[in-house]
């Protein structure tokens, strides 16, 4: 607009100059044309005509350029406004995105904390499970031990029940404290008593009860006597005083063993190396609690103090 005004101003000035020149020409060249309103003379026109045209063209071009400039500015303004709106929208979006990101970060932190707790709980649960497993193993071992002990006790109970039955039967047929085997009652002088006697004194004790020292003339009797001795116990840690006198001697002829009824021994259940008649002093036989039920006899001096076994027939009812 400013440029347009300047052009108009310049045009006015040129008009003024033109008028002055016309007037001058009129004064100087009055012969050619005296009318104040006639057109400038051809010479003057030829001098100033092209300059005005140029100005006008230039002014027009400038005007067009100004219009283009204004249109461009307007277009840019419109474009700028559009971009500003987009910028605002993008800023809002960016803000929302930032907010969402922050929320996600918070949730991530929360989930991480929860995960840590869950891991801790899991570790505690695993430890508790291991502890329970160890306790369960211990309980199982204890249970197995108790079961084994129970089995032992049950076997013991079975034996005791059998023994009770046996004792019940014996009560009627043998004196109290005597053992019944087939048709014979046996008395074992008890292991936990300190009472021990010589062979002759032992026999005397048996006779007082209407019995005599035992005659072991069969394997069945030997096994019965051995099992009973083991059940009663040894009564001492010195094996040579754990023996029980039996009714067998070789007092008349050394090496010829005879039972109380005078019958000669046919099968002996001697310990290995016995009878050895140690120091030529051993003429009486005794039986001892041993693991091998068929090797339990030894010859010992008849004056030794040992325990004894009596036998007598069952009572006749
Ligand atoms: C011997 C026996 C003997 C016993 C006497 C043992 O050491 O081996 O043969 O009869 O002593 O107590
Ligand atoms: Ca001996």
């Amino acid at each position: 607009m400013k440029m347009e005004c300047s052009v108009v101003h310049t045009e006015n000035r040129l008009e003024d100059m033109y008028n002055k020149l016309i007037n001058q020409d009129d004064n100087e060249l009055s012969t050619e044309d005296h009318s104040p309103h006639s057109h400038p003379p051809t010479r003057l026109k030829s001098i100033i005509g092209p300059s005005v045209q140029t100005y006008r063209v230039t002014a027009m071009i400038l005007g067009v350029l100004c219009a283009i400039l204004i249109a461009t500015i307007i277009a840019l303004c419109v474009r700028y406004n559009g971009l500003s709106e987009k910028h605002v929208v993008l800023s809002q979006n960016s803000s929302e995105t930032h907010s969402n990101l922050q929320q996600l970060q918070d949730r991530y932190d929360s989930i991480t904390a929860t995960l840590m707790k869950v891991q801790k709980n899991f570790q505690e649960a695993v430890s508790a499970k291991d502890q329970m497993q160890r306790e369960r193993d211990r309980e199982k071992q204890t249970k197995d031990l108790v079961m084994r002990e129970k089995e032992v006790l049950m076997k013991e109970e079975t034996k005791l029940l059998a023994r009770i039955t046996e004792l019940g039967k014996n009560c009627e047929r043998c004196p109290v404290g005597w053992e019944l085997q087939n048709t014979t009652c046996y008395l074992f002088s008890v292991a936990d008593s300190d009472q021990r006697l010589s062979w002759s004194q032992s026999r005397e004790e048996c006779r007082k009860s209407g019995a005599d020292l035992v005659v072991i003339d069969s394997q069945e009797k030997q096994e019965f006597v051995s099992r009973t001795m083991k059940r009663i116990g040894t009564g001492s840690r010195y094996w040579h005083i754990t023996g029980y006198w039996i009714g067998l001697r070789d007092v008349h002829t050394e090496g010829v063993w005879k039972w109380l009824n005078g019958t000669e021994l046919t099968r002996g259940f001697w310990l290995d190396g016995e009878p050895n008649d140690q120091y030529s002093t051993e003429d009486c036989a005794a039986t001892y609690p041993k693991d091998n039920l068929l090797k339990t006899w030894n010859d010992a001096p008849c004056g030794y103090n040992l325990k004894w076994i009596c036998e007598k027939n069952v009572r006749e009812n």
Side-chain angles (χ1 to χ4, degrees):
M1 291 293 286
K2 218 172 173 183
M3 195 172 285
E4 201 173 4
C5 293
S6 174
V7 171
V8 172
H9 184 63
T10 309
E11 198 175 346
N12 288 338
R13 283 187 62 196
L14 286 170
E15 197 74 39
D16 288 345
M17 284 174 66
Y18 172 74
N19 288 332
K20 281 179 186 174
L21 284 171
I22 293 299
N23 290 336
Q24 195 177 347
D25 282 351
D26 284 348
N27 293 333
E28 291 176 2
L29 305 168
S30 55
T31 53
E32 292 178 18
D33 189 1
H34 298 283
S35 174
H37 301 296
S38 62
H39 291 292
T42 309
R43 191 173 59 88
L44 187 61
K45 273 187 182 174
S46 68
I47 295 168
I48 63 172
S51 296
V52 173
Q53 285 292 324
T54 304
Y55 280 128
R56 280 188 175 157
V57 170
T58 306
M60 281 177 67
I61 290 167
L62 287 172
V64 169
L65 287 174
C66 277
I68 290 169
L69 184 62
I70 288 165
T72 304
I73 288 169
I74 289 168
L76 284 173
C77 281
V78 170
R79 179 79 178 142
Y80 174 76
N81 283 337
L83 286 174
S84 289
E85 284 170 11
K86 278 187 183 173
H87 176 71
V88 169
V89 171
L90 284 173
S91 292
Q92 284 174 350
N93 287 347
S94 168
S95 174
E96 279 176 24
T97 304
H98 183 73
S99 171
N100 288 341
L101 189 64
Q102 187 59 46
Q103 283 179 4
L104 285 172
Q105 182 66 47
D106 291 346
R107 283 182 62 191
Y108 174 78
D109 292 346
S110 167
I111 288 169
T112 304
T114 306
L115 185 66
M116 297 284 281
K117 272 189 201 163
V118 168
Q119 278 180 337
K120 193 173 165 229
N121 289 346
F122 177 73
Q123 288 296 335
E124 285 174 0
V126 168
S127 299
K129 184 185 152 246
D130 290 348
Q131 177 71 18
M132 282 174 70
Q133 182 73 44
R134 282 194 292 277
E135 281 174 12
R136 210 174 75 178
D137 291 348
R138 270 199 297 274
E139 278 174 12
K140 190 173 179 303
Q141 284 175 353
T142 308
K143 189 180 161 195
D144 290 348
L145 193 67
V146 168
M147 289 298 285
R148 282 197 294 276
E149 282 177 2
K150 187 183 166 192
E151 275 175 29
V152 171
L153 287 173
M154 281 174 75
K155 280 181 189 165
E156 200 64 33
E157 184 191 18
T158 307
K159 277 187 195 169
L160 286 172
L161 284 172
R163 179 90 187 114
I164 287 167
T165 308
E166 196 181 328
L167 285 172
K169 282 189 287 177
N170 292 0
C171 275
E172 296 166 5
R173 306 174 74 185
C174 294
V176 176
W178 291 60
E179 308 274 336
L180 175 65
Q181 170 74 2
N182 296 329
T183 56
T184 307
C185 297
Y186 298 87
L187 176 69
F188 290 73
S189 62
V190 285
D192 56 1
S193 157
D194 282 339
Q195 188 187 21
R196 290 184 174 80
L197 299 173
S198 67
W199 187 92
S200 299
Q201 288 168 331
S202 297
R203 186 176 188 195
E204 194 55 38
E205 282 298 309
C206 290
R207 282 183 165 170
K208 282 184 196 168
S209 306
D212 210 336
L213 285 173
V214 67
V215 174
I216 305 173
D217 52 2
S218 73
Q219 182 168 326
E220 186 190 2
K221 262 178 123 174
Q222 167 65 19
E223 286 175 354
F224 163 73
V225 168
S226 293
R227 268 197 301 273
T228 308
M229 275 192 300
K230 279 182 73 73
R231 196 182 74 232
I232 290 169
T234 62
S236 172
R237 58 197 175 97
Y238 303 108
W239 83 268
H240 58 277
I241 63 165
T242 59
Y244 292 71
W245 290 124
I246 62 176
L248 182 70
R249 293 185 298 175
D250 69 343
V251 282
H252 304 295
T253 311
E254 177 55 41
V256 179
W257 291 89
K258 287 188 177 171
W259 295 109
L260 293 177
N261 58 14
T263 57
E264 203 169 314
L265 175 71
T266 51
R267 181 187 176 187
F269 300 97
W270 300 103
L271 285 159
D272 289 335
E274 304 297 342
N276 62 352
D277 191 27
Q278 194 174 54
Y279 311 124
S280 301
T281 58
E282 300 182 325
D283 295 331
C284 291
T287 183
Y288 298 74
K290 297 287 179 186
D291 289 336
N292 187 337
L293 301 183
L294 301 179
K295 287 185 177 180
T296 64
W297 296 0
N298 172 47
D299 59 339
C302 297
Y304 260 33
N305 288 334
L306 298 178
K307 297 190 171 298
W308 63 93
I309 303 169
C310 308
E311 74 172 342
K312 66 179 178 179
N313 291 329
V314 295
R315 278 188 213 136
E316 296 299 329
N317 290 323

